[in-house]
Amino acid sequence: MEMVPSEENQLVPKEGMFWSCRQSIFDEMKKRFSQIENASEEPRVLCIVQDTTNAKTVNERLTLNLPASTTLSKLFEDVAHKASYVNGTFDLAWGKTGDMGSLDPSSEMSLTESGFEPGKRNFLQLTDKDGEQPRIASDESGTAGSSGLDDSSQERFIGPLPRDCTVGCSSDYSSPSYSYSSILNKSDTGYVGLVNQAMTCYLNSLLQTLFMTPEFRNALYNWEFEESEEDPVTSIPYQLQRLFLLLQTSKKRAIETTDVTRSFGWDSSEAWQQHDVQELCRVMFDALEQKWKQTEQADLINQLYQGKLKDYVRCLECGYESWRIDTYLDIPLVIRPFGASQAYGSVEEALQAFVQPETLDGANQYFCERCKKKCDARKGLRFLHFPYLLTLQLKRFDFDYTTMHRIKLNDRMSFPEELDMGPFIDVEDEKSPQTESCTDSGAENEGSCHSDQMSNDFSADDGVDEGICLDSASSTERVLKPKSSLTFELFSVMVHSGSAAGGHYYACIKSFSDGQWYSFNDQHVSKITQEDIRKTYGGSSGSRGYYSSAFASSTNAYMLIYRLKDPSRNAKYLDCDDFPEHIKHLVQREKESEEQEKRQREIERNTCKIKLFCMHPVKMMAMMENKLEVHKDKTLREATEMAYKLMELDGVVPLDCCRLVKYDEFHEYLERSYEGEDDTPMGLLLGGVKSSYMFDLLLETRRAEQVFQPYKPGEVMVKVHVVDLKTDTIAPPVSIRAYLNQSITEFKQLIAQATELSAETMRVVLERCYNDLRLLYVPNKTLKAEGFFRSNKVFVESSESPDHQVTFTDSLLWKLLDRHGNTIRLFVSLPVQSPGTNRTICQKVGGDTEECSEGSKGNRNSVEAILEESTEKLKNLSLQQQQGSSTSDSQKSSDTSDFEHIESPSPSQEPDSSSVSAVVAVDNRELENRIRVASGGSDGGAYSDPETQFPGEERSDSEVNNDRSTSSVDSDILSSSHSSDTLCNADSGPIQLANGLDSHSITSSRRSKANEGKKETWDTAEEDSGTDSEYDENGKSKAESYYLYFRAEPYAQEDGSGEGGQKCVLVHVDKRITLSAFKQNLEPFVGVTSTQFKVFRVYANNQEFESVRLNETLSSFSDDNKITIRLGRALKKGEYRVKVYQLLVNDAEPCKFLIDTVFAKGMTVKQSKEELMPQLKDQCKLDLNIDKFRLRKKTWKNPGTVFLDYHVYEEDINISSNWEVFLEVLDGPEKMKSMSQLAVLTRRWTPAQMKLEPFQEVVLESSSVEELKEKLSEISGIPLENLEFAKGRGTFPCDISVLEIHQDLDWNPKVSTLNVWPLYICDDGAVVFYRDSTEEPMEQSEDERNELMKKESSRLLKTGHRVSYSPRKEKALKIYLDGGPVKDPGQD
């Protein structure tokens, strides 16, 4: 047998080794299968990781589905493997909110112990560690770096990167050919980015360019800030100095620019304004010059950036030349000449065009001072001196006079890396022998061009002589410097990506240290190549995809900055060791500040932030809320001390009488207490540092003699209210804790211990949701089966009353709870002065009435007397009912108990809960009858006829406001709902009434019982009716068929607004009562019948809306809603309140509110006009003849169908509540006689005068286009064959700019009838423009056109109509040297 060596170097049979290997493989497989099987049974945790360290991956997600037992350290390993990062070079933090807490990469805690939730999505964010990006793990298969590829062979990024939270700077312009592969972190590029505040990309581009300019940066470092002379916050040079230092020394990936913009005097709104980078450069340089006055840097901007040129005009006959010397900071180069279709191809070509002179001849001849006549002349510019830093602005933004829109020119314009400016110095016309023979024109910077004067202007002493050198010994010869001295090298390209309406700036900058080009795109800095620079030339390369013309080619160079190649002047960047002393001190301060910020950030990452609640024992027993921020290593005892101070309990409750418990604020549920865990860290108790918690903390307090009750997980909390049927009261809640698996019998025993009631006779009612009452009568049923949850509310009653034998829904207990759940409290403001009467009614306490003589003297009117006596009667009745109440009940505050004074039958009476209510109802009707008697009976008194209109009818705020056209009908959808769990607190007096909720949530069995004998609200409300009748078909009041609880008492408003005659009533009412019944119950307090006053609901913003649907209930009302009563005839069935507006077709504001009135079903238009006439005369001073005005439909601001006099409302004309109509005054008799006619509003457009004529109405007998054109030809005199028309657009009066109407409207549509596309003129009121096709538009100069454009824009903006060309309003770019703008207090 063949022998082979084994692992122990022993010879074993070869066959035996085979079986040994096979067995070991099987054992390993068995072990793996066992692990897989166990893992399948273990809960899984889904982790979704967002990598926020890289622009490429910020929108991507890494998903890991791990076993719940996985440790945090293993999680970091898995994330590092999946993200291809080196473990330990990144952090993981909780995501989803801004309060991120970091995870511990070395922790051996499991995911569940660390706060991860199995079965749910757990969001994490992968962030930089210590401000540095994570290192990428090397790939064995090779990367760009390991495969031997150089940087130039990799795809580079150029163009805007998508940025989070950046509005207005588009991310849609990046080309598909661009790559993110070259985005490197700071350690690779050595440069720091700038954070975009919102739309500050233009600022970031300029700041990075200035930072990368050695001469500017070094000069800024040499300037020393004197804190005694200026506030550092408002010092622009100091803040720039700090920013540059951070850009050079910070370890962060990107830094903020807020300190710099604050020194500009900008507020946060400036960050949302887009500006031009060239404009910013000018403004910033001006500000720096102002700040650097009287310093060594006073002339820095001029030394670096300022050049000089000569603006000249030379006579071609005598050679006389007039000139002026100007300075410039940048050279604007035209991309495409005005009127040309071809753009300049290069910067050199544009520069040549810049200095190319133009000939002034013909009408443009120049008046020569020497020839004393107009002569042909040559006008142009000559460069006299180029700055050390040459700035070229490519004028890509232009105005298209064809479309009248601002546009961006994306044409290709190349620019060299080295630019020779020698050919552009002092270009003259060699043909003229007398180019220098001239005299001084008298201007400050003007004069002759003799070389001696030129040499004085530009001597070698001014230190900026590289542009041009003139020999003072010669008067005719100019000698240029060597060509090398005028060679400039490109080092910054500021790129704009987007359109004229908006876009994004970034900068491509070459470092003078290594010659490498970088893309500075806000916070992202990456290496780029010369090829990437060439991509910014503009134009379309033909390989940029479907949207190449719209997006790819819109990324192009906007500003170029060159530096003169002069070894004697070219500076290098200062190293940290070469910094001046004041800069070294500043660097040290910034490092300390950055370290402090880092430490603070670390503390924030380890701080637990959780909601904290406390029922304050002094401050009105209110539940106070705050936010507890505690370090995760702080113990529970320390956290309790912090919460104790946070809730200001020092001196109120001893610290040892407080504890923190786990709390669910939404369900008002105490989840658990922490006995014996005072030294446990909060991070462990709360499940780690999280961005948000699914629970809260409650700081619980106790009295000194009390002992804290332990709360165990799994318990449910129950608020127990004890009901006393004898006194009709419900006690404040007593909190107990139970288990869901307890039976009803055990639960009753638990309640009996807490309330000392008998468990044998106890009835327990559970309120599962609002007013859903459930009697718990099955002894062995568990609480879970009955529907108990975390927090519950039950009502208990224990007595020997025969009410136990009655069906629950017929019992007194059910009726009391039902009333308790549906009663709301309303504040009703009565009219300031109720109508007076000539008789006074007196009422005795016992209920008997006596009439005082008509001449009895008194200071009160009848309504006040009735209000007072009804209130007194209610008080006496309440006192009688309280005789059987306990002493404790009598001490309860009326402000905290709505059931304290509720009328209840005596024990001897039959158990009929409606008996007392019926007494009150009878009393109310009795008072109503006596009011009618007091009003003077039927002898023509003010209120003898319920339909009589009040002479002094009050108007609501919405009626008085002429401009408001909102509905006067009550908007019932604005109801608020509150949980009935918050009815009362433990230590308060008798409970308040429950907040009113939607009665539709009552169970169907209870609803049918409560509304027996009465239809549902939605069944009785009349469709499309302005109001409902208060009486049924037999004339009997609907309120008498079924009475619901109503009680009112006088109320004094806390703010004192009720003084001075204003009376208020506090009403407790069942919200299932109809508005009709509610009004009838208010009659004794208002002093008039319900048909003679109106009910207005007051909303939070003090807006009032009339409630008119009498059959609807008060279900939309809730506790403490306010109601205002106003005198005036209420609407009857079939009546509608109508708003009338005057139509003024030729006024600037064609819609003017007139009056509110009432139209009735069955009324003709002529009858409504007759009723309108006296109202218009009295209220609007309009004295109209009935045949000289018409009514017509109003839809928003558009006039519609003309109503003819014989039309009947609801038959011929549909009418509804909140109806609006136009009243139009006619110049002559009504032309509309039939509904088959069509009234069109026409307006003539006269192009020769650029003018729109006033509106004229044309009445057509049919919808024929031919008839319309004939009518228009008849009124205008335009020949029929030359007449063209077009339909107006938008809402009336269809305003349009006179600059656009001639070409924008669809003139002369090819249709034969008006009621087809594209006209669709089917109703009265359509607007039609017409013109003479032979009339040409008026010729205008550019100035005249601009002036007309301004007038039209102003006119259309005033009328509120669309202006087709309306450039975005930009705030002027300003830098404030005094710290900020002076705000006008009267300015918006």
Side-chain angles (χ1 to χ4, degrees), residues 204 247 402 516 573 685 830 844 862 1090 1227-1228 1250 1271:
N204 292 349
L247 286 173
T402 304
Q516 173 66 47
Y573 303 113
L685 286 179
L830 300 178
K844 297 179 181 179
S862 62
S1090 60
D1227 296 330
M1250 300 294 283
K1271 293 272 188 179

Side-chain angles (χ1 to χ4, degrees), residues 1012-1030:
E1012 189 174 343
K1014 175 176 98 68
K1015 289 184 179 180
E1016 293 288 353
T1017 298
W1018 47 85
D1019 292 333
T1020 57
E1022 298 186 15
E1023 256 185 68
D1024 296 327
S1025 176
T1027 183
D1028 304 312
S1029 174
E1030 299 185 32

Side-chain angles (χ1 to χ4, degrees), residues 350-397:
L351 281 168
Q352 190 64 50
F354 186 82
V355 297
Q356 181 68 33
E358 62 172 320
T359 301
L360 304 179
D361 54 9
N364 294 326
Q365 278 188 326
Y366 164 73
F367 185 85
C368 177
E369 293 290 340
R370 177 177 294 176
C371 300
K372 301 300 181 183
K373 66 174 183 176
K374 282 191 174 184
C375 306
D376 290 349
R378 184 161 293 170
K379 183 181 187 304
L381 299 170
R382 299 191 190 117
F383 286 112
L384 302 178
H385 160 64
F386 290 114
Y388 177 70
L389 297 172
L390 179 65
T391 304
L392 304 179
Q393 181 205 3
L394 309 184
K395 300 182 67 175
R396 292 197 175 273
F397 299 108

Side-chain angles (χ1 to χ4, degrees), residues 186-409:
K186 193 250 178 179
S187 60
D188 290 331
T189 64
Y191 295 103
V192 179
L194 294 174
V195 176
N196 192 329
Q197 297 182 35
M199 295 183 180
T200 56
C201 52
Y202 66 99
L203 172 66
N204 292 349
S205 302
L206 180 61
L207 291 176
Q208 291 283 20
T209 297
L210 295 177
F211 171 73
M212 295 296 287
T213 306
E215 292 77 9
F216 186 88
R217 189 203 298 185
N218 297 345
L220 185 64
Y221 284 168
N222 289 328
W223 175 79
E224 185 173 359
F225 173 67
E226 297 292 341
E227 194 165 353
S228 59
E229 298 179 1
E230 190 177 7
D231 184 1
V233 175
T234 59
S235 174
I236 298 173
Y238 176 69
Q239 294 302 334
L240 282 177
Q241 199 177 71
R242 286 185 62 242
L243 182 76
F244 283 14
L245 279 176
L246 291 174
L247 286 173
Q248 187 169 352
T249 62
S250 176
K251 295 180 180 180
K252 293 182 179 179
R253 179 182 174 185
I255 58 176
E256 298 279 354
T257 58
T258 49
D259 289 341
V260 174
T261 55
R262 193 178 295 113
S263 70
F264 291 171
W266 294 359
D267 55 21
S268 58
S269 65
E270 289 287 348
W272 296 91
Q273 293 289 328
Q274 282 188 333
H275 291 295
D276 185 274
V277 67
Q278 185 262 351
E279 182 186 11
L280 173 68
C281 185
R282 291 282 190 93
V283 174
M284 184 188 291
F285 283 173
D286 287 344
L288 287 173
E289 285 184 321
Q290 293 294 324
K291 289 287 186 179
W292 274 336
K293 282 185 177 180
Q294 312 300 325
T295 67
E296 293 181 5
Q297 289 75 20
D299 201 38
L300 176 67
I301 301 299
N302 293 337
Q303 290 177 7
L304 294 179
Y305 295 95
Q306 182 175 284
K308 293 185 179 180
L309 54 80
K310 181 165 71 171
D311 185 354
Y312 68 91
V313 180
R314 186 174 60 193
C315 178
L316 293 181
E317 292 187 12
C318 68
Y320 174 81
E321 184 174 282
S322 174
W323 50 266
R324 183 181 70 248
I325 295 177
D326 291 326
T327 61
Y328 63 89
L329 294 178
D330 55 61
I331 302 174
L333 298 181
V334 174
I335 298 286
R336 188 192 302 165
F338 181 77
S341 58
Q342 189 70 29
Y344 296 129
S346 65
V347 164
E348 295 93 334
E349 190 177 342
L351 281 168
Q352 190 64 50
F354 186 82
V355 297
Q356 181 68 33
E358 62 172 320
T359 301
L360 304 179
D361 54 9
N364 294 326
Q365 278 188 326
Y366 164 73
F367 185 85
C368 177
E369 293 290 340
R370 177 177 294 176
C371 300
K372 301 300 181 183
K373 66 174 183 176
K374 282 191 174 184
C375 306
D376 290 349
R378 184 161 293 170
K379 183 181 187 304
L381 299 170
R382 299 191 190 117
F383 286 112
L384 302 178
H385 160 64
F386 290 114
Y388 177 70
L389 297 172
L390 179 65
T391 304
L392 304 179
Q393 181 205 3
L394 309 184
K395 300 182 67 175
R396 292 197 175 273
F397 299 108
D398 204 351
F399 191 82
D400 188 343
Y401 286 96
T402 304
T403 63
M404 303 304 292
H405 289 172
R406 194 177 179 219
I407 59 171
K408 182 184 176 186
L409 303 176

Side-chain angles (χ1 to χ4, degrees), residues 197 271 526 564 719 790 973 1028 1143 1149:
Q197 297 182 35
S526 58
L564 181 70
K719 291 182 178 180
R790 285 184 168 189
I973 62 173
D1028 304 312
L1143 177 64
E1149 181 50 58

